[in-house]
């Protein structure tokens, strides 16, 4: 029985917004791509509801890439697609300055956010998490010079979180692979993962980017940032905190 095909269908649906992002970057297709913005997240939502569960593993990105559509990923993919669809509809109905540029970066962040819902390995999850987090700078700073200060604050927290995350994921990934690291190293990896995803969630003491980023970003981007991209940190904790969902529930 083939189980890998559904995961590729779900990943392809999640990455379709990248096609619109490319369209927004090209003068010849910019206007058409902008008009298609409201439907960019719908294929991912349909995949979350209709595509059967499956799993595929590829020997890419050093530690390998695992593409999985399970109950946890399906729930996050469905929720994120609904939020992104609503944000995209608002962006299309309320044109902003440089609207095609805004739509393009929205689609890049959307693709990263939706695709990471299908990733269960550290390398793949980090790649799409970084795509989502780093491209959001363009959304926060979109309004121009007045918003660039907020964008710098957002990027400072984001880069710090990315550095903590990649270190924590490598440590926890090595421990999961059976490499003897010692209890101290495993605990340190868990602490790094907690701090990294805590920044994205906006945990108390790690939320300094939120009060400046949300007002600076256009409404559609702020809604997606608060409603979907931040919850990607919750998914990261469920996937990669040592002990899995049980440990995350106990921590909560």
């Amino acid at each position: 029985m083939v189980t890998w095909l559904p995961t590729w269908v779900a990943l392809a649906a999640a990455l379709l917004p990248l096609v619109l992002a490319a369209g927004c970057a090209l003068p010849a297709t910019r206007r058409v791509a902008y008009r298609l913005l409201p439907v960019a997240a719908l294929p991912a939502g349909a995949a979350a509801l209709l595509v059967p569960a499956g799993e595929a593993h590829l020997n890419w990105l050093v530690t390998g890439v695992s593409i999985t559509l399970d109950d946890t990923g399906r729930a996050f993919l469905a929720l994120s697609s609904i939020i992104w669809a609503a944000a995209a509809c608002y962006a299309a109905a309320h044109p902003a300055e440089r609207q095609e540029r805004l739509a393009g970066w929205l689609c890049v962040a959307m693709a990263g956010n939706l695709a990471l819902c299908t990733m269960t390995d550290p390398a793949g999850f980090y790649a799409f998490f970084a795509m989502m987090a780093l491209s959001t700078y363009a959304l926060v700073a979109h309004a121009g010079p007045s918003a660039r200060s907020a964008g710098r604050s957002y990027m400072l927290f984001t880069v710090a979180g990315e550095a903590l995350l990649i270190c924590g994921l490598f440590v926890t990934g090595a421990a999961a692979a059976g490499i003897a690291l010692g209890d101290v190293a495993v605990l340190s990896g868990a602490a790094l993962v907690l701090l990294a995803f805590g920044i994205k969630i906006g945990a108390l003491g790690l939320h300094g980017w939120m009060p400046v980023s949300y007002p600076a970003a256009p409404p559609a981007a702020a809604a997606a940032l608060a409603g979907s991209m931040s919850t990607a940190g919750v998914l990261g904790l469920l996937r990669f905190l040592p002990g899995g969902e049980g440990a995350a529930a106990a921590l909560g």
Side-chain angles (χ1 to χ4, degrees):
M1 181 178 179
V2 177
T3 61
W4 54 267
L5 183 59
T7 62
W8 284 106
V9 172
L11 181 60
L15 290 176
L16 276 178
L18 284 181
V19 177
L20 291 185
C24 289
L26 300 174
T29 57
R30 189 170 292 164
R31 185 167 298 179
V32 175
Y34 178 77
R35 290 177 179 174
L36 292 175
L37 178 62
V39 302
L42 296 184
L49 296 175
L50 302 175
V51 173
E55 182 176 2
H57 185 79
L58 301 172
N59 294 321
W60 294 352
L61 298 178
V62 183
T63 59
V65 176
S66 294
I67 310 168
T68 305
L69 188 61
D70 56 6
D71 290 341
T72 300
R74 191 188 301 276
F76 276 86
L77 184 60
L79 175 63
S80 296
S81 63
I82 291 171
I83 295 172
W84 275 109
C89 287
Y90 183 91
H94 299 80
E97 183 181 358
R98 297 170 294 165
Q99 59 188 21
E100 290 87 0
R101 178 178 181 272
L102 174 62
W105 285 113
L106 271 174
C107 287
V108 174
M110 184 191 308
N113 191 181
L114 296 176
L116 66 83
C117 295
T118 67
M119 294 289 133
T120 54
D121 67 280
F125 189 95
Y126 175 81
F128 288 116
F129 190 87
M131 176 195 293
M132 174 195 73
L134 296 177
S135 61
T136 303
Y137 168 80
L139 303 177
V140 174
H142 178 77
S146 61
R148 287 174 188 165
S149 176
R152 286 192 293 269
S153 177
Y154 169 84
M155 187 57 72
L156 176 65
F157 277 87
T158 296
V159 171
E162 296 292 322
L164 292 170
L165 180 58
I166 196 168
C167 293
L169 288 180
F170 271 118
V171 172
T172 55
I179 300 175
L181 298 176
D183 293 339
V184 174
V186 174
L187 289 174
S188 299
L192 291 172
V193 170
L194 277 171
L195 287 172
F197 288 129
I199 290 175
K200 179 53 64 179
I201 293 170
L204 185 63
L206 302 173
H207 65 289
W209 61 273
M210 284 185 164
V212 295
S213 299
Y214 288 167
L225 179 57
S228 183
M229 288 188 272
S230 293
T231 57
V234 178
L235 179 59
L237 289 175
L238 294 175
R239 295 291 198 202
F240 303 110
L241 189 67
E245 297 185 14
L251 180 65

